[in-house]
Amino acid sequence: MRSRDAYVELVNLVQRAHALATAGDLLGWDEQVNLPPGAAEQRAAQHAAVAEAHHGWASQPRIGELLAALEADDTLGGAERAVIANARRDYDRATKLPADFVQEKARQGSRGYHAWARAKAADDFGGYAPVLEKNLEFARREAAYLGKAEAPYDYMLDKHDPGLNAATIATLFDELKGELVPLVREVTASPVAETARAASRRLRGFPIDAQRQFLREVTTAVGFDYDCGRIDVSLHPFCSGTGADVRMTTRYQENQPLDALFSAIHETGHGLYEQGLPREHLGTARGIAAGMAVHESQSRLWENQIARSRGFWRHFEPRWRQLFGSQAATVDADELYLAVNAVEPTLIRVDADEVTYNLHIILRFELEQRLFSGELRVADLPSAWRAASRELVGLEPANDREGVLQDVHWSDGAFGYFPSYCLGNMIAAQLWHRMQEVRTDLDTDFAKGDFSWVLRWLRENIHAHGRRFGTMELIKRATGEELSPRHLIAYLRERYGELYRCAK
Ligand SMILES: [Zn+2]
């Protein structure tokens, strides 16, 4: 068989498997947005049926035959080799894990979630510890089935961000930590911090209909294509779907009007990435996102570097005041800008601002590393968490509910997931730095409501490549240098140092 024919057949099979996977995603979106309360069990059965069909399709021996033939062919180009390598990765995951292990792991994930919810409500880490022990064991076994028994944590990290490993991340995070801890202390000790918090507290009673209208105008202005996507309401904001059908959600509260807006802009960043992937290659390595960290860089760039900038608010503030007359009148322009950029250390990761957020991630990464190396026992996790929280965030939780029990991720075995958030911040800052080198007056563009240059640059330098390159190579190609935390540090120092008038 000619290579060309084999390649076309492989792409066809991969895209078909992807179509089934996205049908499953759509069921998940619907479950969180529309599902009648009585339909949960029926939906679980639908999920299981689609997952089974997907697994059957993705693990068919024909894919293995085509991969073996194509891997032996050295005449193929780089883009095609990337498609083949990614198909191999998916195929190995679909075929090398024994069926009973996959089923047992799925059951454990669901049990783990409920055990975590109970333990959190009762502040009872002891009831949760056996679940964590079991989940660590499952992670190690999964890594072993895929030939990564000697480095299970690297395997978990690579699952989310192809090519990344713990040693690389540790180097980046150590450098970031050294600069960020003192910066956070400076910013939060500034008297301006209290002015910013007071301004946010005055934003009350914003009508939901007007919030919805404003948010629609903002997300349209930055480039989200509502012919190929939509935004709805869910308990926790998220973005799913891809290509011509991107589904975002947000949530509205009258007394926290900035929350719905910034959640929506964050999800819009994810959505713009998915809408910008090459449609004809959808589902193959040329048409899917590079990884979690790059995905998160897109959401954070729009949410933070862009939507918290002066230019952005210069453009949108008049419309904001027009829509929210009396509620908006409680803050002047400077106070609004401070409220948008309020910083306050908190024990809870999901409540953290963009400056302190990274410290919460470094804490989790360091604990995950120690758990996987065996240096830290599960039983000692609560006290290790308290010590790390004191050292990094500057606050010590009074109970485990505000400490080790706060996140859902570990309850279903999602280790190695947290670092992507902080890496995403680092990548966003490095992309932002590069963009500003190329175009020096972006803030003037934003003040005119023009975001097209940024979107075009991201389309060309990030979105167009899909997963063709590993995370580190993609960033190097886009910015001309290796990924480094120094752009994030410089960006945070510049924006918050200036705003909070701290010494440089
Ligand atoms: Zn995100």
Side-chain angles (χ1 to χ4, degrees):
M1 181 182 209
R2 286 169 46 237
S3 267
R4 178 58 27 202
D5 297 337
Y7 182 77
V8 169
E9 189 181 347
L10 177 74
V11 165
N12 218 309
L13 294 176
V14 165
Q15 290 191 312
R16 186 68 173 269
H18 181 257
L20 278 166
T22 58
D25 293 344
L26 198 54
L27 287 176
W29 168 85
D30 180 71
E31 188 172 358
Q32 295 196 51
V33 172
N34 291 317
L35 199 72
E41 223 164 286
Q42 199 166 315
R43 179 52 47 91
Q46 292 167 321
H47 268 305
V50 172
E52 196 183 332
H54 173 258
H55 184 263
W57 193 271
S59 58
Q60 56 185 299
R62 181 67 184 149
I63 296 181
E65 290 165 21
L66 292 166
L67 283 172
L70 288 162
E71 282 162 349
D73 182 339
D74 50 17
T75 63
L76 293 161
E80 287 156 333
R81 278 204 305 276
V83 168
I84 293 162
N86 196 62
R88 162 62 70 193
R89 198 179 145 91
D90 289 346
Y91 185 69
D92 282 354
R93 283 201 179 128
T95 54
K96 287 192 172 173
L97 301 175
D100 56 346
F101 173 80
V102 173
Q103 281 165 16
E104 179 57 23
K105 190 169 171 263
R107 271 198 296 276
Q108 168 67 13
S110 152
R111 272 199 301 265
Y113 173 79
H114 293 291
W116 165 77
R118 268 196 310 275
K120 187 177 175 185
D123 191 33
D124 169 29
F125 181 77
Y128 181 49
V131 168
L132 277 182
E133 301 273 14
K134 191 99 187 148
N135 286 350
L136 279 166
E137 181 203 319
F138 273 96
R140 288 203 175 90
R141 278 173 63 195
E142 184 179 326
Y145 285 127
L146 284 147
K148 301 285 171 8
E150 77 296 341
Y153 189 49
D154 282 348
Y155 164 78
M156 297 306 287
L157 292 164
D158 176 89
K159 252 175 109 163
H160 308 297
D161 293 299
L164 276 174
N165 59 47
T168 305
I169 296 172
T171 306
L172 294 168
F173 282 9
D174 280 348
E175 189 182 339
L176 180 63
K177 182 166 81 169
E179 298 278 342
L180 199 52
V181 171
L183 175 65
V184 167
R185 303 288 190 271
E186 272 176 57
V187 166
T188 49
S190 154
V192 183
E194 185 42 43
T195 315
R197 292 195 286 269
S200 347
R201 282 195 295 268
R202 287 205 296 280
L203 301 176
R204 291 280 180 269
F206 281 62
I208 305 294
D209 279 347
Q211 285 197 47
R212 195 178 289 114
Q213 174 65 29
F214 184 61
L215 185 154
R216 177 89 182 196
E217 290 176 18
V218 169
T219 51
T220 303
V222 300
F224 188 80
D225 177 2
Y226 278 99
D227 282 338
C228 295
R230 49 184 292 137
I231 188 161
D232 294 272
V233 171
S234 67
L235 193 56
H236 302 288
F238 67 93
C239 177
S240 77
T242 187
D245 189 3
V246 173
R247 310 291 177 105
M248 311 190 289
T249 67
T250 190
R251 58 179 169 202
Y252 298 97
Q253 298 167 78
E254 287 193 344
N255 292 336
Q256 289 195 23
L258 297 178
D259 181 61
L261 178 66
F262 280 96
S263 294
I265 297 171
H266 178 99
E267 301 309 335
T268 298
H270 286 302
L272 289 171
Y273 187 13
E274 291 292 339
Q275 287 184 336
L277 293 165
R279 300 261 163 102
E280 67 276 26
H281 299 301
L282 217 59
T284 76
R286 299 171 75 178
I288 55 171
M292 272 272 308
V294 176
H295 228 306
E296 203 57 23
S297 77
Q298 301 302 291
S299 57
R300 305 268 169 156
L301 181 70
W302 287 100
E303 177 192 356
N304 295 328
Q305 274 84 1
I306 297 170
R308 296 185 203 276
S309 69
R310 294 251 186 221
F312 182 95
W313 282 98
R314 226 165 261 144
H315 175 71
F316 283 112
E317 189 181 341
R319 178 62 176 147
W320 184 77
R321 292 195 181 277
Q322 188 183 36
L323 278 167
F324 302 107
S326 60
Q327 295 83 13
T330 59
V331 291
D332 65 21
D334 288 340
E335 288 166 333
L336 170 61
Y337 192 60
L338 275 174
V340 161
N341 288 290
V343 176
E344 182 171 22
T346 158
L347 288 163
I348 308 299
R349 175 185 61 87
V350 295
D351 295 338
D353 53 79
E354 72 160 324
V355 186
T356 55
Y357 190 92
N358 301 293
L359 298 172
H360 292 269
I361 299 306
I362 294 171
L363 177 153
R364 285 155 179 76
F365 169 72
E366 291 182 352
L367 293 177
E368 283 187 343
Q369 261 192 307
R370 291 166 61 197
L371 281 172
F372 273 87
S373 75
E375 181 199 318
L376 177 65
R377 295 182 318 143
V378 167
D380 299 327
L381 200 48
S383 58
W385 187 291
R386 282 193 289 274
S389 181
R390 198 171 49 231
E391 179 209 331
L392 287 163
V393 187
L395 300 169
E396 182 168 327
N399 54 55
D400 291 333
R401 207 179 313 174
E402 294 182 330
V404 66
L405 288 172
Q406 66 179 273
D407 299 309
V408 64
H409 300 57
W410 292 344
S411 75
D412 74 343
F415 300 106
Y417 189 100
F418 287 118
S420 308
Y421 295 126
C422 182
L423 292 165
N425 282 333
M426 254 181 227
I427 295 170
Q430 189 158 323
L431 295 175
W432 179 239
H433 174 80
R434 179 64 192 145
M435 280 190 256
Q436 287 180 305
E437 277 179 345
V438 182
R439 190 171 175 91
T440 50
D441 49 358
L442 277 174
D443 212 56
T444 316
D445 287 356
F446 296 171
K448 291 182 204 142
D450 182 357
F451 304 91
S452 59
W453 190 90
V454 172
L455 185 56
R456 211 162 42 241
W457 192 92
L458 291 171
R459 291 261 190 265
E460 283 167 19
N461 290 281
I462 301 291
H463 306 178
H465 298 301
R467 185 173 287 194
R468 181 167 168 192
F469 309 111
T471 304
M472 301 298 261
E473 193 189 341
L474 177 66
I475 301 315
K476 191 172 177 190
R477 281 171 174 266
T479 65
E481 57 181 317
E482 301 287 346
L483 180 61
S484 150
R486 67 193 178 88
H487 297 297
L488 177 58
I489 296 161
Y491 155 76
L492 291 173
R493 277 210 168 275
E494 190 184 320
R495 178 167 292 173
Y496 291 91
E498 178 249 327
L499 202 55
Y500 287 76
R501 298 182 204 102
C502 302
K504 281 234 169 176

